Amino acid sequence: MEVQETVDYTEQLRRAALRVTRPRLAVMQAVDAHPHADTDTIVSAVRSGGLPDVSRQAVYDVLGALTEAGLVRRIQPSGSLARYESRVGDNHHHVVCRVCGAVEDVDCAIGETPCLAASDAHGYEVDEAEVIYWGLCPACQSHQASEPQP
Ligand SMILES: [Zn+2]
Ligand SMILES: [Zn+2]
């Protein structure tokens, strides 16, 4: 088994040519700890993680900068708030629960981008395919099953 490498956020920021600041480090840690979290979750994780006075706007700004630099990935299933994750660069997909909005990762079918060949790309050079599988998560399935049928 592979040993989990210690993530060096400072190094990641430097490599992305971003200035290393405490809010940036804290946001990266929060996104790592809460995959697919929305902004509210990240704000409270950053606040309870040692930066109690950080403003919501500051966290928004950091998320924007990190997304632009490719250090975090932003996903937004329709009808859902924007969510962030630190698993970037592998073009994995997501399965989303229609009822509770739970999100899980689904590995890319082929392993490199884009994993789906377009039947007709209309001459575009395609470098990404974003697939969202919609359905019911196990918790919502059992909840539905236990509900009295009409
Ligand atoms: Zn659900
Ligand atoms: Zn994901």
Side-chain angles (χ1 to χ4, degrees), residues 36 70-73 75 85-94 105-116 127-131:
H36 313 124
L71 295 177
V72 304
R73 176 172 164 194
I75 59 164
E85 64 185 342
S86 57
R87 185 178 164 185
V88 296
D90 68 350
N91 195 52
H92 70 271
H93 306 301
H94 293 101
D105 287 338
V106 177
D107 283 347
C108 175
I110 291 180
E112 53 190 49
T113 61
C115 84
L116 296 177
D127 58 27
E128 184 180 343
E130 190 179 351
V131 177

Side-chain angles (χ1 to χ4, degrees), residues 96-102 135-141:
V96 181
C97 178
R98 283 186 199 285
V99 175
C100 71
L136 279 186
C137 73
C140 290
Q141 285 172 44

